[in-house]
Amino acid sequence: MELSTLSLLDSVLPHSKPQRVVWREVVPLTEDPDQPFNLRLKLAAQAGIGLAAGVRFHFRGTQGLVLYMARGTTDINKLKSETNEQYLLSATDVIGSIVCLRNPRRDCLAERRQAREATRRRLRNKMLAVIRLGDEDIPSSNISSSMDSRRSAYSLASFQKKTLSIKKRIIMAARKWKGANNDPPPPFSNVEALWTFAGCFLTILMLLYFSDFINEQNSQYSLVLGPFGALVTLQYSLTSAPASQPRNVILGQAISISIALCMTYTRLEANMRRSLGTALCVSLMARLGVTHPPAGAAALIFTGGGYTWVHMGIMLAGNVLAIISAAGINNFNVKRQYPTSWGFGYWIKYVCPRKGSKKGD
């Protein structure tokens, strides 16, 4: 049967027969001189939409039309199939019910807002009435004693509330000790474990040779190797973890070692200096979003004293070498990618946001 070029609304006029989906050609409609000009329909035809069908809905006094469109190259027999037609009619019912729900939902929300506002007004009026009546009824000689009794009652209530809150927190903390019953992460396969072994071995070996090279140039300096054991664990066992990414590695180490070296200039007792310096480093890394566990270890080591700013430069150079090594080894594995993000551009967006955007967007 040849497709008609009548208006789309002709297919959805009220009739007694069961509703059908009647597809019309779009291009002839735009070229029909008897039809009013429709820019939207003209643009749809230029975009490649060749067929359209309108399906009417009527729910609780709400009427409307759902317009379906298809490419001109679409098989018309598939569009007219029984299953596709039933699907479109059911979709029309769903869309119509959602449209019908808008006005009652808006009215319901407005009614609730009015009820809240009325409750707020009644509460305010009652409070004002109590205050005014209280000022009139209480003799001036009893004002001070009345206020003292109110303060004591308020203090007792506040103390009871704080005691109850502490008790709840203790119970909550005890329950958390049981754990959340989450499954532990799955173990690596043999191939992945061997890949991790190779990556850790080669990276640590390279760093050891780098430390020996530095020491040969100047016997006072060498690479502080302790944090690098944790670093290779992150880079080859938790490759996609945020703490493993280059941004966290470089910035975390720079922040931690800087603070640790500054702490060595203070006159604090050794244990206090090391604990305070490490706590400052870890908390600042968390605040700036560059948490890196090996940097916390470096902070604990450097606050002990005996290190200089030259050691900091050597540590940063060692971390750069470890990043290059991890990127080269991990990316040869089809199941791994390192890094997942460099992340240094985040600081540029945060410090120098674009016009019309907030910091960090």
Side-chain angles (χ1 to χ4, degrees):
M1 180 175 118
E2 191 176 290
L3 294 174
S4 173
T5 59
L6 296 176
S7 171
L8 293 176
L9 293 176
D10 294 343
S11 64
V12 295
L13 290 176
H15 48 74
S16 58
K17 296 182 180 179
Q19 190 167 208
R20 307 284 297 180
V21 181
V22 180
W23 291 92
R24 309 292 187 187
E25 292 183 359
V26 175
V27 175
L29 282 176
T30 61
E31 298 175 351
D32 189 350
D34 296 329
Q35 296 292 334
F37 177 76
N38 190 319
L39 179 60
R40 185 177 298 179
L41 199 63
K42 186 77 172 178
L43 294 175
Q46 293 176 0
I49 296 174
L51 300 170
V55 183
R56 181 183 177 187
F57 65 85
H58 185 280
F59 280 93
R60 296 182 178 273
T62 302
Q63 300 185 33
L65 183 71
V66 179
L67 185 63
Y68 297 103
M69 296 184 179
R71 295 190 302 270
T73 57
T74 306
D75 187 356
I76 188 62
N77 294 322
K78 291 183 179 179
L79 293 176
K80 288 185 173 183
S81 67
E82 185 68 22
T83 54
N84 188 64
E85 186 168 315
Q86 290 300 321
Y87 175 76
L88 294 180
L89 291 174
S90 300
T92 302
D93 293 339
V94 174
I95 296 171
S97 63
I98 294 173
V99 173
C100 179
L101 183 63
R102 288 189 305 174
N103 291 336
R105 181 177 182 274
R106 184 176 62 248
D107 297 339
C108 184
L109 292 175
E111 184 179 346
R112 291 183 180 180
R113 283 194 296 269
Q114 292 175 0
R116 287 196 298 268
E117 182 64 21
T119 302
R120 188 187 67 81
R121 285 198 299 267
R122 287 197 301 270
L123 181 61
R124 183 191 62 184
N125 294 335
K126 287 181 179 180
M127 293 178 66
L128 290 174
V130 168
I131 293 172
R132 289 168 184 170
L133 290 175
D135 292 341
E136 294 175 1
D137 295 342
I138 300 176
S140 58
S141 59
N142 297 332
I143 290 179
S144 59
S145 60
S146 176
M147 292 187 66
D148 292 339
S149 61
R150 288 180 184 177
R151 289 196 193 98
S152 61
Y154 175 79
S155 300
L156 179 60
S158 177
F159 175 75
Q160 291 175 346
K161 186 176 180 181
K162 289 180 180 179
T163 304
L164 183 62
S165 177
I166 293 172
K167 193 181 297 184
K168 287 183 178 179
R169 286 175 180 267
I170 293 173
I171 295 172
M172 178 185 66
R175 288 176 179 172
K176 287 183 177 181
W177 276 82
K178 298 178 182 179
N181 295 325
N182 293 335
D183 294 332
F188 277 13
S189 63
N190 293 333
V191 175
E192 291 298 315
L194 287 173
W195 205 275
T196 299
F197 167 80
C200 292
F201 172 76
L202 293 175
T203 302
I204 293 295
L205 184 64
M206 177 191 65
L207 293 173
L208 287 170
Y209 279 122
F210 174 69
S211 179
D212 291 342
F213 172 77
I214 296 294
N215 191 256
E216 289 175 1
Q217 305 301 316
N218 191 329
S219 59
Q220 296 181 353
Y221 303 112
S222 62
L223 190 63
V224 181
L225 293 168
F228 288 96
L231 177 60
V232 295
T233 302
L234 289 173
Q235 290 179 326
Y236 296 102
S237 295
L238 298 171
T239 309
S240 59
S244 308
Q245 306 312 308
R247 171 174 168 267
N248 291 51
V249 175
I250 300 300
L251 296 181
Q253 290 285 6
I255 292 170
S256 295
I257 299 176
S258 298
I259 294 176
L261 290 174
C262 290
M263 291 296 295
T264 59
Y265 294 103
T266 64
R267 297 182 180 181
L268 294 173
E269 187 262 335
N271 290 338
M272 180 63 69
R273 182 178 69 244
R274 298 179 75 175
S275 57
L276 179 60
T278 305
L280 284 174
C281 295
V282 174
S283 58
L284 185 59
M285 284 192 294
R287 177 64 183 86
L288 297 177
V290 290
T291 297
H292 185 58
L300 183 60
I301 294 172
F302 275 73
T303 49
Y307 299 97
T308 65
W309 295 97
V310 177
H311 287 93
M312 176 181 173
I314 296 172
M315 284 290 292
L316 293 178
N319 279 276
V320 171
L321 292 176
I323 291 171
I324 295 172
S325 174
I329 295 172
N330 279 316
N331 291 334
F332 271 102
N333 188 323
V334 296
K335 295 182 179 180
R336 300 187 182 197
Q337 180 179 355
Y338 182 84
T340 56
S341 66
W342 288 95
F344 292 103
Y346 171 82
W347 290 92
I348 300 175
K349 294 179 181 178
Y350 188 83
V351 176
C352 302
R354 297 178 181 176
K355 292 183 178 178
S357 64
K358 297 180 179 179
K359 285 188 177 183
D361 289 349

